Amino acid sequence: MGLLHRRSLTIILSMWILWLPNLKAQPPGSYSTAQKNLDAILQDYAYRAFVNPRTGIPFDGSVPSNLTGITISAMRLRSGSLRSRGVKTYKEFEIPKGVIVQPYVERLVLVYQNLANFSASYYSISGYTQLAPVLGLLAYDASNLSATNLPELFINASKQPISIRFQKIDSVPDGSVAMCAWFDLQGGVNFSHVESDNTCLTSQQGHFSIVANFTAAPPPQRKGEKKSSSKTWIIVGSVVGGLALILLLVLVAICIGRYMRNKKMKRMERAAEVGEALNMTSIGNVRAPSAMSTRTQPMIEHDYIP
């Protein structure tokens, strides 16, 4: 392939890369304001349950009337005790030894949430149905049990994972697969396999549920779902159109290359014709020099004739 062809293909590939739609993965979503506000309210009401607080004992709290159905509980612990002993049973959670709290606090409170009938309102996943209520486990500083709007502490199970055993889940739709869903505090959703006895595992705090996808029997398409289908067709059309554009540009480059070669050959022929001393004649598709039709006549060197 000539230099012209290589340059043409380089230009085409550059144009193709710039023209393609951006298909990068979307960044993780943000923890919504509604979710943050709900956690703040539940933390406030859970702390109110500490009338006569005792370390290591769960205290069930009450929620405001507009959140009836949600259950909460609070347990105060020493950070050192949590790391060395863990918590054998805290509602549906089993916390092993080796849990590290960051930043370090002398005492912390583990707030338990069961969102019950509010689960789908705050933690729905497009394309999935919830088989179990959303359960939350969040850690807060226990130095001031009257404080509100506290930031969550970071807890990490450094040895064995924290287990969540869901007491009751709905039946899995035919053809679907049940999965554990972990909603972290950055707005991300993480999936993992369901262990035996409807148990999910995690190494950090957050909100948890068991979900199933709609692959077996998808629900009727809604208006909002048409946008997703339209985006798919747009991407397919973009790829097909891009391939057609590449093919067209390659053909144009080939035609340009042939035109430039023919033009160069004609220029060389004209230059050769200007400098030639002999007449040129065409024999088929080849031009060749030809001799003059009249040859030089012989001449007598001396006028003397014997």
Side-chain angles (χ1 to χ4, degrees):
M1 184 180 292
L3 178 61
L4 179 62
H5 279 187
R6 289 197 298 269
R7 289 179 177 176
S8 300
L9 290 178
T10 301
I11 294 173
I12 292 171
L13 290 176
S14 300
M15 293 175 62
W16 169 244
I17 293 173
L18 294 174
W19 180 84
L20 269 177
N22 187 2
L23 299 180
K24 294 181 180 179
Q26 298 297 323
S30 60
Y31 203 44
S32 73
T33 302
Q35 293 168 337
K36 291 180 181 178
N37 291 339
L38 178 64
D39 288 341
I41 293 172
L42 298 182
Q43 176 265 316
D44 179 20
Y45 278 81
Y47 271 44
R48 295 183 187 186
F50 287 126
V51 178
N52 296 309
R54 295 176 58 188
T55 301
I57 304 298
F59 289 83
D60 294 339
S62 58
V63 296
S65 58
N66 62 328
L67 295 176
T68 299
I70 295 178
T71 58
I72 57 174
S73 183
M75 178 186 290
R76 189 176 68 164
L77 298 165
R78 290 181 177 271
S79 295
S81 176
L82 176 63
R83 184 169 185 175
S84 61
R85 299 179 184 177
V87 179
K88 186 175 182 180
T89 302
Y90 183 28
K91 304 297 183 179
E92 290 91 344
F93 291 86
E94 182 179 341
I95 306 173
K97 300 177 182 179
V99 173
I100 301 172
V101 181
Q102 295 178 337
Y104 175 79
V105 292
E106 184 177 353
R107 287 184 175 87
L108 73 151
V109 173
L110 294 178
V111 173
Y112 163 86
Q113 304 173 1
N114 185 332
L115 301 188
N117 52 310
F118 286 87
S119 298
S121 300
Y122 286 92
Y123 292 96
S124 62
I125 309 175
S126 178
Y128 292 83
T129 182
Q130 291 180 349
L131 305 180
V134 171
L135 304 179
L137 183 68
L138 302 177
Y140 300 94
D141 188 358
S143 59
N144 182 3
L145 296 181
S146 299
T148 59
N149 294 318
L150 291 174
E152 296 86 1
L153 300 174
F154 177 79
I155 62 174
N156 180 51
S158 60
K159 295 181 179 180
Q160 296 177 346
I162 300 169
S163 61
I164 312 108
R165 182 177 179 181
F166 292 86
Q167 297 177 355
K168 183 180 179 181
I169 68 171
D170 296 336
S171 59
V172 181
D174 293 338
S176 297
V177 178
M179 293 174 288
C180 296
W182 165 40
F183 305 87
D184 61 37
L185 298 185
Q186 287 72 46
V189 182
N190 308 271
F191 297 96
S192 60
H193 297 292
V194 178
E195 305 294 328
S196 60
D197 297 329
N198 300 326
T199 300
C200 295
L201 304 178
T202 182
S203 60
Q204 300 178 21
Q205 76 275 37
H207 296 85
F208 310 89
S209 183
I210 294 180
V211 300
N213 55 16
F214 291 145
T215 54
Q221 189 180 51
R222 302 175 181 176
K223 292 182 180 180
E225 295 174 349
K226 292 182 179 180
K227 294 181 180 179
S228 177
S229 179
S230 299
K231 290 181 180 179
T232 302
W233 282 111
I234 290 174
I235 293 175
V236 172
S238 299
V239 173
V240 173
L243 293 175
L245 178 62
I246 279 188
L247 180 60
L248 177 61
L249 292 176
V250 169
L251 293 176
V252 171
I254 292 175
C255 293
I256 292 175
R258 290 179 178 176
Y259 171 78
M260 295 299 293
R261 285 200 304 271
N262 293 337
K263 185 176 180 180
K264 183 177 181 181
M265 289 295 296
K266 290 181 180 180
R267 187 167 58 251
M268 293 174 61
E269 290 176 358
R270 286 197 299 269
E273 290 175 357
V274 171
E276 66 186 6
L278 298 177
N279 292 329
M280 302 295 292
T281 185
S282 297
I283 303 176
N285 294 329
V286 181
R287 293 179 59 82
S290 63
M292 298 177 61
S293 57
T294 304
R295 298 181 60 186
T296 303
Q297 297 294 326
M299 297 181 62
I300 301 176
E301 185 177 357
H302 299 288
D303 294 336
Y304 175 75
I305 300 176

